[in-house]
Amino acid sequence: MFIVLNRSAGTSVVRSDPATVLRTRLPRAELHFLDPGEDPAAVVADALARPAPPRIVGVCGGDGS
């Protein structure tokens, strides 16, 4: 499992850090934190082009991602 996270999507005082929750609930998932200006489509394409691509791809953004 490969999950792309957008750190600049904002935060909320009523929910936990999504990365902490994902690490706890999906310990085998690979989390990729987007850098400013990084293209999420390119990140996913690179992951899918690996010799052993992820079987599941997810996105966590909080801003309509």
Side-chain angles (χ1 to χ4, degrees):
M1 178 178 285
F2 182 81
I3 303 173
V4 178
L5 291 99
N6 182 358
R7 294 183 209 207
S8 64
T11 59
S12 171
V13 293
V14 296
R15 70 175 165 91
S16 302
D17 174 21
T20 302
V21 174
L22 290 169
R23 284 187 183 111
T24 300
R25 295 185 181 175
L26 302 169
R28 294 176 52 194
E30 177 185 352
L31 305 182
H32 178 91
F33 295 89
L34 289 175
D35 290 325
E38 190 172 25
D39 179 12
V43 169
V44 171
D46 288 346
L48 293 174
R50 297 176 185 169
R55 294 175 56 195
I56 299 170
V57 175
V59 62
C60 179
D63 62 350
S65 299

